[in-house]
Amino acid sequence: MQIEKEKQQLNNDYQNLLQYRGMTEEELKKLMKEIGEPQFRASQLFLWLQNKGVENWDEMRNIPHSCCQKLAERGDIFAPKVITRQESAAHDTVKVLLEFPDGERIETVLMLYHRGESRDRATVCVSTQSGCVMGCSFCVTATVGKGRNLSTAEIVSQVLVMEKEAQKLGFDGVTNIVYMGMGEPALNLENVWKSLQLFNHEKGLNIGMRRMTVSTCGIVPAIYEMAAWNKQVGLAISLHAPDDALREKIMPVARKYKLKELLEAAEHYYKTTGQEITYEYAMFRGINDSQSQAHALGKLLSGKPALVNLIPANLGGAAGFLPSLVETITDFKRILTSYGIEVALREPRGVDIDAACGQLRRR
Ligand code: SAH
C-alpha cells in the first residue's frame, strides 16, 4: 500500500470550497481583511461556529447582514444533514447518520456516562473517512468501500451535532472525543490535527488535549507525525493480536508495519508526550483469545506504559469472528494483569442500535 498515493486519492474536490466551520480564528481574520471587515468579526464568527454551533447566518446576531452576505458568497457555514437518529433503550448512546453536501454519508456516536455531576462524561466517537481502505477482516466499515477523507469542517460538525444531543439528554456538553469512528485517522492526519486544535480552542468547545484520543490500526509513520505535534493527545493502537503472524492474517496493515516497529513508535510517542498508550484488543472466539495468546501479549507489553482495552467483539465483517465467552475474557484479563499490565474491559455500548466498535457504516 502506498500511503501517500492513497491519501491523495481520498481527498475530494468539493472540499476546496470554503468551509467556515473548519477554519481557525487566524484564517478567519485573514478572510475578514480580504473582504474589508474588521478583525474582531473573525472572533465573533469563530465563537458562533465553534462554540454555539449555529447553522444559519440569521442566528449570528452581532454580525451585520452585509458581512454575512459577503461571507455567504464565498463559502458555506457548513452543517451536515441529519438523516437518521437512533437512541439506545438505555438512553445512554445516540447514533446519527449524517449526510454531507456531495451525498457522502457517515455515522457518529455519542456515549453518555452518569458518574455524578463533575465526573459525568459525554464522549463522541467521530468518523474521519466515509469508508476505509485498511481491510481489517472483522470490521464492518471495511465492507463499505474506500469512501473519502472528511474535511476539518466535516469532523468538527459531527461533534457540534452531538453537543446539542448531549444537552438534550441533560449533560452540559461533550467532554471527550475519540477518533474511533469510520475510517483510518492516520490517512487523514491534517484534518484530524486541525480539528483537534479547533476542539481545544478556548473560544471553541475548550476540550483538553488529554480528553481526546486518536486511534490507528498501526500506520507507523503517522505515529511519529503525531508525536511531533507534541501535545497530550491520547494515542490508541488497534492491536488485536499478540504476534505478527496472526495480526497479518486479520489486519492487512500488519504486512507492512510489524509489531516491533509499531511498539517502538508507541514508545517514542510516550517519551515525547508523556501519554500512556492504549492498546485495543477485541476478543474473537478461538482466534486471539487463548491463554497462551494472553501470555504472549503479556510478555510483549510487560514493562511498557500501556493500558490494554479488552473489547468484547461485536458482530462485524467476515464470517467466523464471534465474541469470546465471558469466562475466556476473565481468564485473559487475569493473565495480562499478572504481567503487571493495566487492563480495562470496555463496556459494550449501543449494541441495540449497531453503534458498537467496528459496526459503523453508511447506509
Ligand atoms: N481505523 C482506526 C480507527 C477505528 S477505531 C483503528 O483501526 O484504530 C474502531 C475500533 O473498533 C478499532 O480498534 C477496530 O479494530 C475495532 N473493531 C472493528 N471491528 C470490531 C469488532 N467486530 N468488534 C470489536 N471491535 C472492532
Side-chain angles (χ1 to χ4, degrees), residues 314-327:
N314 299 300
L315 293 181
F321 287 90
L322 296 171
S324 302
L325 302 173
V326 177
E327 309 86 82

Side-chain angles (χ1 to χ4, degrees), residues 71-222:
L71 291 167
E73 279 163 19
R74 288 167 175 76
D76 191 15
I77 291 182
F78 205 83
K81 233 192 275 170
V82 181
I83 304 292
T84 57
R85 173 193 183 280
Q86 289 169 275
E87 189 173 318
S88 65
H91 307 291
D92 58 4
T93 308
V94 177
K95 183 173 81 169
V96 291
L97 174 67
L98 302 178
E99 186 179 280
F100 299 125
D102 65 343
E104 282 295 286
R105 291 179 170 197
I106 56 116
E107 292 189 316
T108 308
V109 180
L110 169 71
M111 290 158 288
L112 300 168
Y113 304 85
H114 287 277
R115 290 178 172 165
E117 294 201 21
S118 63
R119 293 176 60 239
D120 274 358
R121 195 146 58 93
T123 301
V124 179
C125 178
V126 293
S127 293
T128 54
Q129 303 181 312
S130 56
C132 194
V133 294
M134 304 314 301
C136 300
S137 44
F138 44 81
C139 183
V140 172
T141 307
T143 66
V144 308
K146 93 175 174 54
R148 65 164 174 79
N149 273 342
L150 302 190
S151 66
T152 305
E154 288 168 340
I155 298 173
V156 168
S157 58
Q158 296 174 53
V159 176
L160 290 166
V161 165
M162 289 310 197
E163 175 82 358
K164 290 177 186 161
E165 290 291 339
Q167 287 166 354
K168 267 191 246 164
L169 290 164
F171 280 67
D172 288 344
V174 173
T175 59
N176 296 64
I177 299 171
V178 293
Y179 289 70
M180 298 186 184
M182 293 166 62
E184 172 51 41
L187 294 180
N188 190 12
L189 262 197
E190 213 175 297
N191 291 313
V192 165
W193 174 223
K194 207 167 165 195
S195 63
L196 284 164
Q197 291 169 285
L198 290 172
F199 294 138
N200 181 240
H201 200 287
E202 55 182 6
K203 287 182 196 150
L205 295 178
N206 197 9
I207 297 175
M209 288 291 185
R210 275 195 237 193
R211 292 180 171 271
M212 299 188 274
T213 299
V214 176
S215 182
T216 174
C217 62
I219 297 183
V220 167

Side-chain angles (χ1 to χ4, degrees), residues 186 189 216 218-230 235 237 257 260-270 272-273:
L189 262 197
T216 174
I219 297 183
V220 167
I223 296 176
Y224 287 96
E225 257 183 78
M226 284 179 62
W229 299 340
N230 203 3
L235 170 66
I237 295 177
Y257 302 110
K260 185 170 174 294
E261 48 175 334
L262 183 55
L263 294 178
E264 273 165 19
E267 184 80 14
H268 172 77
Y269 192 83
Y270 170 71
T272 318
T273 63

Side-chain angles (χ1 to χ4, degrees), residues 340-352:
I341 294 167
E342 203 184 332
V343 186
L345 200 59
R346 187 176 288 176
E347 31 171 328
R349 271 307 177 101
V351 177
D352 55 339

